Amino acid sequence: MTDNHHTAGAEQCLLTAGLEATPNRLAALRALHGMGYAASAQEVLEALPAGTMDRVTLYRTLDTLAARGVISKTSAADRSFRYCSTPENGITPHCHFYCRKCGRMHCLAPAPLEQWAMHTAAEHNVDVQRIEIRLDGLCAACSKRQTDHS
C-alpha cells in the first residue's frame, strides 16, 4: 500500500469523524496504520519522524482521535493505554491480547463474545457505547522463551 493510499484513507477517516485533517492527526494515523498492533503512545512517538510533534501534542492528538472514534484506546495491564487502527476503515470492534512479559498488545479478530455483548445489550434495551475485552497472559514468543529456560 502506498503512502498516498494511507494518507487518503487517514484523511477520509478524519473527515468522516468531523475532524480537520491536520498534519499532526495525519502523522499519528499514518504511524498507527503502519504498526500492525495496539501501540503505546511512546511507540507511536518513536515511529514518527523526529521533530514531528512533542509528547504532549501526541497525547492530545491520540485522545482526540479516540474520542471521535477514529482509533481505539484500550487499557493495558500496566496501567497505560494502547491505540490501534486499520488503514482501510478506522477501527472495527475487536478484542486484544496483552502479554504480561513483553508488554506488547496484539489486536485479535472480532470474536463471538463481542457479538454476545451486543445481543445482550439489545435484549436489555441498553445503549452500549463501548466494549473492551482484553485477554492477559504470555504471547507465543515469551511463552517459548520461558519454556526454553525451564
Side-chain angles (χ1 to χ4, degrees):
M1 212 172 294
T2 66
D3 263 357
N4 287 343
H5 181 76
H6 283 300
T7 299
E11 284 180 21
Q12 189 56 51
C13 286
L14 292 170
L15 294 174
T16 300
L19 292 170
E20 184 181 344
T22 64
N24 286 341
R25 290 174 184 159
L26 289 170
L29 273 179
R30 279 193 302 266
L32 278 171
H33 290 168
M35 303 202 76
Y37 60 92
S40 67
Q42 182 61 40
E43 290 170 316
V44 176
L45 189 62
E46 290 169 3
L48 294 170
T52 302
M53 69 182 96
D54 62 34
R55 182 183 313 274
V56 172
T57 301
L58 177 62
Y59 275 102
R60 287 182 184 152
T61 299
L62 292 172
D63 283 343
T64 297
L65 295 174
R68 297 302 281 270
V70 177
I71 62 174
S72 68
K73 178 179 179 180
T74 304
S75 61
D78 62 3
R79 299 185 323 176
S80 68
F81 291 101
R82 301 295 191 277
Y83 304 87
C84 64
S85 178
T86 60
E88 293 79 22
N89 61 358
I91 57 172
T92 301
H94 59 278
C95 300
H96 292 92
F97 177 84
Y98 176 78
C99 180
R100 293 182 158 286
K101 183 90 171 163
C102 68
R104 173 77 47 105
M105 186 175 290
H106 304 270
C107 297
L108 305 175
L113 190 55
E114 291 161 322
Q115 295 166 358
W116 168 83
M118 293 307 292
H119 176 75
T120 301
E123 251 182 32
H124 294 280
N125 197 29
V126 295
D127 179 22
V128 173
Q129 298 176 343
R130 177 171 168 72
I131 297 173
E132 184 175 319
I133 300 171
R134 186 190 77 220
L135 307 174
D136 294 355
L138 294 179
C139 69
C142 290
S143 183
K144 182 175 177 355
R145 279 193 292 273
Q146 184 170 314
T147 303
D148 291 346
H149 290 121
S150 295

